Amino acid sequence: GQQVMQIPQYQHVQEGEDFTTYCNSSTTLSNIQWYKQRPGGHPVFLIQLVKSGEVKKQKRLTFQFGEAKKNSSLHITATQTTDVGTYFCAGMRDSNYQLIWGAGTKLIIKP
Amino acid sequence: ETGVTQTPRHLVMGMTNKKSLKCEQHLGHNAMYWYKQSAKKPLELMFVYNFKEQTENNSVPSRFSPECPNSSHLFLHLHTLQPEDSALYLCASSQDEGNEQFFGPGTRLTVL
């Protein structure tokens, strides 16, 4: 079936370093959403990308949607302790508006 | 955030018990969802309701039974669960299917 693969599963960074997580779909998506889940919390919506090649920024976060609408990335510049958590992508199928969730990337700040 | 509430927040139950999880959304949304989140499979969609009608059942065992009496309330009835069902159960809602989802705080379920 249709899948969204998200890598890496974990990323350890020093505070101040950059962080990137990638999502790839086996088929074209109508849009992709990104969520953040803090430790002990629940997923919180960050952004939705709809257009081919779209790039959106939220302060230090940059979100991209690929030209073929099959892949997406989230890049965080100069990570801070408040960025700690798991970042999920969720792609929407064209056929039935269902979201297909990636497995998440856990951002860990090294002490 | 109080848009989506879930009760109880924590639940410990034996394999022969029957319990129910409750979710309520105060956002006027039309779609509601149940997810299971465990260490092995981070976020699994279980059920989707849109305008009170079930639109998705992701091959969930029958020991989990959803109920959606109206567009603001969603229940998950639990019966004869297994220890591997221990997980965080998250409820979410969205204006319509495919829109951004708003999650509740979850119910941490432990099956002994």
Side-chain angles (χ1 to χ4, degrees), chain A residues 4-19:
Chain A
V4 172
M5 304 302 294
Q6 187 172 358
I7 57 169
Q9 187 177 1
Y10 301 93
Q11 190 166 359
H12 294 77
V13 300
Q14 297 278 6
E15 188 173 4
E17 291 182 338
D18 293 354
F19 161 86

Side-chain angles (χ1 to χ4, degrees), chain A residues 3-76:
Chain A
Q3 292 185 344
V4 172
M5 304 302 294
Q6 187 172 358
I7 57 169
Q9 187 177 1
Y10 301 93
Q11 190 166 359
H12 294 77
V13 300
Q14 297 278 6
E15 188 173 4
E17 291 182 338
D18 293 354
F19 161 86
T20 306
T21 173
Y22 302 90
C23 283
N24 290 287
S25 169
S26 53
T27 57
T28 303
L29 301 169
S30 60
N31 68 58
I32 194 157
Q33 299 174 16
W34 285 91
Y35 293 77
K36 176 185 178 182
Q37 185 174 19
R38 294 180 185 273
H42 55 274
V44 174
F45 175 82
L46 293 176
I47 207 160
Q48 177 173 283
L49 304 172
V50 179
K51 298 177 183 176
S52 167
E54 189 169 15
V55 177
K56 287 189 175 180
K57 292 192 176 184
Q58 289 179 350
K59 298 183 180 178
R60 294 177 293 104
L61 277 62
T62 302
F63 303 84
Q64 294 187 326
F65 200 11
E67 294 290 340
K69 300 182 73 174
K70 288 186 177 182
N71 56 72
S72 183
S73 65
L74 159 58
H75 180 82
I76 303 177

Side-chain angles (χ1 to χ4, degrees), chain B residues 35-103:
Chain B
Y35 288 89
K36 176 184 178 182
Q37 188 173 41
S38 59
K40 294 184 179 180
K41 293 185 180 181
L43 202 61
E44 299 175 71
L45 177 65
M46 300 175 72
F47 301 104
V48 181
Y49 278 82
N50 199 16
F51 289 99
K52 302 188 299 176
E53 298 296 321
Q54 189 178 121
T55 59
E56 185 81 12
N57 174 343
N58 261 1
S59 303
V60 180
S62 59
R63 58 186 184 269
F64 295 91
S65 174
E67 178 189 359
C68 188
N70 55 63
S71 57
S72 299
H73 293 85
L74 186 63
F75 295 89
L76 188 62
H77 303 299
L78 315 173
H79 176 51
T80 322
L81 294 192
Q82 305 298 311
E84 59 264 29
D85 296 322
S86 299
L88 180 68
Y89 287 85
L90 289 160
C91 173
S93 71
S94 63
Q95 185 60 55
D96 293 295
E97 283 187 75
N99 295 132
E100 66 177 276
Q101 294 185 14
F102 293 77
F103 284 80

Side-chain angles (χ1 to χ4, degrees), chain A residues 79-97:
Chain A
T79 54
Q80 300 175 358
T81 55
T82 53
D83 296 324
V84 162
T86 301
Y87 293 83
F88 293 94
C89 63
M92 192 168 87
R93 298 178 188 172
D94 272 333
S95 55
N96 61 1
Y97 306 104

